């Protein structure tokens, strides 16, 4: 297999749950060596998220912990800062998501760790960032989604706002944090200087919603919830088929609209040949499209739309995803061996395909502290007796 583009890059993951660990996982999938620091006896709280296996460890940990080695260090212990510093001295990137005040208390903040490695890159994910009046507020994905305005826009009109079906902030910020690590490494290579990437959970979401603030600046009004309707495009919604499935059908361009009108055999709708006209007549258009979809079963309708070049797709459940022929053909879901005689566990593969290299997820996720002694010897330069003393004192 081709060596990954990040081969030779060591990443120290001093983060928990989702956004920070996702960033380090993404780096690991493309060749980086990832060392995960966890609390002795407890580990990452994500290890205990249901559903649980017979050993009490989250089944999802197989995905969340993949591409990593696990080292246990009690960050509250006086000796911990020096241990983390020794590991940081051999790492190019540190990923963390503790609050700024917590990093300072543990003595593992940016200035602390670059004393061990002057050209260190640190990616610091936090709820509100390192600066500003909210810097030390706690927060999770759902707090960030609400703060950034995503929750305000999600849901049906005249009803309370709702969360998205998944904590989007963790995923978006995890991806953005991995991107930030690449930017910081590139800048470090240009300058030879240490780099700090300060990534709040809310900012990548705010950046993603490109029309939200601009529209307010123009109109003086905040865009309200519109359910599945798109404020700028019609038709664009979820429509129920005759066999009870749901179809996403966004006619986002004039060409797509004309193709849809032809498939619907509805020449009277062709008069609405601009987006402005369709938005002005949204109720009529959405109703006609809903009637058309409701008259067909999903699979025959999809065949009809695909043949006509109309962009549309089913609303897939997990069972639909793992059975879908396209997903199977591309390997978008892979199956990981668990244990002797146990069924294989399906999980998402790394995203994208590349001409010059391949992503990898390696073997199983590590047990808690599985690599502590090994890593402290290799990367920390500790001897066997030194490691044993730390273990006896509960530091590792």
């Amino acid at each position: 297999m081709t060596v990954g583009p990040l081969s030779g890059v060591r990443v120290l993951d001093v983060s928990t749950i989702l956004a920070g660990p996702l960033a380090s996982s993404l780096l690991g999938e493309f060749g980086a060596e990832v060392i995960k620091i966890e609390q002795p006896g407890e580990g990452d709280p994500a290890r205990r998220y249901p559903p649980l296996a017979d050993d009490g460890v989250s089944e999802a940990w197989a995905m969340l912990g993949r591409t990593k080695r696990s080292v246990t260090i009690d960050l509250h212990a006086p000796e911990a800062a020096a241990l983390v510093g020794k590991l940081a001295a051999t790492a190019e990137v540190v990923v963390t998501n503790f609050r700024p005040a917590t990093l300072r208390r543990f003595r593992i903040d940016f200035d602390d760790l670059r004393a061990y490695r002057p050209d260190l890159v640190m990616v610091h994910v936090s709820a509100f960032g390192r600066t500003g009046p909210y810097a030390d507020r706690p927060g999770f994905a759902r707090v960030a989604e609400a703060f950034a305005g995503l929750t305000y826009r999600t849901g049906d009109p005249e009803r309370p706002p709702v969360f998205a079906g998944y904590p989007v902030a963790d995923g978006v910020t995890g991806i953005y944090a991995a991107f930030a690590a690449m930017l910081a490494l590139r800048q470090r290579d240009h300058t030879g200087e240490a780099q700090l990437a300060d990534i709040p959970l809310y900012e990548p979401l705010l950046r993603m919603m490109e029309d939200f603030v601009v529209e307010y600046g123009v109109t003086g009004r905040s865009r309200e919830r519109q359910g599945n309707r798109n404020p700028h495009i019609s038709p664009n919604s979820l429509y129920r088929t005759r066999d009870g499935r749901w179809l996403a059908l966004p006619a986002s361009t004039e060409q797509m609209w004309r193709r849809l009108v032809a498939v619907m055999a509805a020449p009277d709708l062709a008069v609405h040949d601009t987006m402005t006209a369709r938005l002005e007549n949204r109720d009529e258009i959405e109703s006609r499209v809903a009637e058309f979809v409701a008259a067909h079963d999903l699979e025959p309708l999809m065949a009809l739309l695909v043949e006509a070049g109309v962009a549309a797709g089913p609303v897939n459940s997990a069972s639909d995803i793992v059975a879908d022929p396209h997903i199977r053909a591309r390997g978008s879901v892979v199956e990981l061996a668990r244990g002797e005689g146990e069924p294989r566990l399906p999980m998402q593969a790394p995203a994208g395909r590349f001409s010059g290299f391949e992503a990898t997820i390696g073997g199983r996720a590590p047990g808690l502290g599985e690599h502590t002694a090994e890593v402290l010897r290799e990367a920390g330069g500790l001897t066997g007796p030194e490691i044993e003393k730390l273990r006896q004192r509960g530091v590792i």
Side-chain angles (χ1 to χ4, degrees):
M1 180 179 292
T2 306
V3 174
L6 297 181
S7 178
V9 173
R10 177 174 284 167
V11 177
L12 195 60
D13 179 356
V14 194
S15 63
T16 61
I17 319 250
L18 290 179
L22 172 59
S24 64
S25 286
L26 293 172
L27 301 176
E29 288 172 1
F30 293 98
E33 174 198 355
V34 182
I35 298 171
K36 181 172 179 62
I37 305 299
E38 300 187 72
Q39 182 69 15
E42 298 178 9
D44 191 317
R47 286 181 178 269
R48 300 186 295 279
Y49 282 5
L52 301 179
D54 292 340
D55 60 0
V57 176
S58 171
E59 292 280 18
W61 180 249
M63 180 163 182
L64 297 172
R66 70 191 193 185
T67 76
K68 302 177 183 181
R69 293 196 286 173
S70 173
V71 173
T72 51
I73 299 177
D74 183 356
L75 296 178
H76 303 85
E79 304 95 327
L83 278 179
V84 174
K86 287 180 179 179
L87 296 180
T90 70
E92 292 197 78
V93 180
V94 172
V95 177
T96 187
N97 63 354
F98 289 106
R99 279 186 273 171
T102 303
L103 288 180
R104 293 192 293 270
R105 187 172 74 250
F106 287 158
R107 294 178 292 122
I108 56 170
D109 204 358
F110 180 56
D111 287 337
D112 300 308
L113 295 184
R114 68 174 173 171
Y116 291 88
R117 176 157 186 162
D119 64 347
L120 182 72
V121 166
M122 175 180 274
V123 178
H124 185 189
V125 176
S126 61
F128 295 98
R130 294 172 63 95
T131 61
Y134 304 160
D136 278 314
R137 285 188 182 182
F140 294 103
R142 296 308 196 183
V143 175
E145 290 160 22
F147 187 74
L150 178 64
T151 309
Y152 186 89
R153 286 188 64 166
T154 306
D156 292 318
E158 311 304 327
R159 301 192 67 180
V162 297
F163 290 136
Y166 181 81
V168 178
D170 280 324
V172 171
T173 305
I175 295 168
Y176 200 94
F179 167 63
M182 297 294 91
L183 295 178
L185 281 170
R186 179 70 167 162
Q187 182 69 1
R188 192 278 310 274
D189 291 345
H190 280 317
T191 66
E193 298 174 352
Q195 303 292 325
L196 172 63
D198 171 14
I199 312 295
L201 275 173
Y202 78 89
E203 276 186 349
L205 285 178
L206 189 59
R207 172 63 181 85
M208 180 182 72
M209 298 190 296
E210 296 185 342
D211 64 334
F212 192 41
V213 175
V214 171
E215 185 174 7
Y216 170 77
V218 172
T219 67
R221 297 186 302 275
S222 291
R223 172 64 63 177
E224 300 297 325
R225 292 178 291 283
Q226 292 189 289
N228 290 323
R229 292 185 171 188
N230 186 298
H232 308 299
I233 301 169
S234 179
N236 186 322
S237 192
L238 300 179
Y239 306 95
R240 194 164 194 175
T241 62
R242 183 168 57 193
D243 54 351
R245 298 286 299 279
W246 289 92
L247 181 78
L249 204 168
S252 302
T253 66
E254 306 303 334
Q255 184 181 55
M256 204 62 65
W257 167 246
R258 291 165 191 153
R259 292 174 182 173
L260 178 60
V261 167
V263 172
M264 293 173 62
D268 59 306
L269 292 179
V271 67
H272 306 305
D273 203 33
T274 67
M275 192 63 72
T276 299
R278 292 196 292 281
L279 290 171
E280 289 173 351
N281 295 274
R282 182 197 291 273
D283 288 345
E284 176 197 359
I285 290 170
E286 298 285 357
S287 176
R288 291 283 295 278
V289 173
E291 289 174 6
F292 167 72
V293 172
H296 297 77
D297 291 343
L298 178 68
E299 293 304 329
L301 177 58
M302 275 301 304
L304 189 66
L305 294 171
V306 168
E307 183 179 5
V310 175
V315 177
N316 281 337
S317 67
S319 62
D320 296 324
I321 287 169
V322 298
D324 186 89
H326 183 81
I327 287 174
R328 294 174 70 88
R330 274 188 62 87
S332 304
V333 168
V334 296
E335 293 185 343
L336 192 70
R338 285 190 279 189
E340 184 95 24
E342 293 188 61
R344 298 175 71 86
L345 184 67
M347 64 177 64
Q348 298 93 308
R353 302 294 178 269
F354 303 88
S355 63
F357 56 89
E358 295 180 22
T360 180
I361 61 173
R364 63 176 178 80
L368 178 60
E370 179 179 342
H371 305 98
T372 301
E374 170 186 313
V375 169
L376 291 181
R377 278 196 305 269
E378 293 175 6
L382 274 68
T383 65
E386 288 172 327
I387 293 170
E388 185 56 33
K389 283 182 181 179
L390 291 171
R391 196 182 302 281
Q392 290 174 358
R393 292 203 299 269
V395 178
I396 59 175

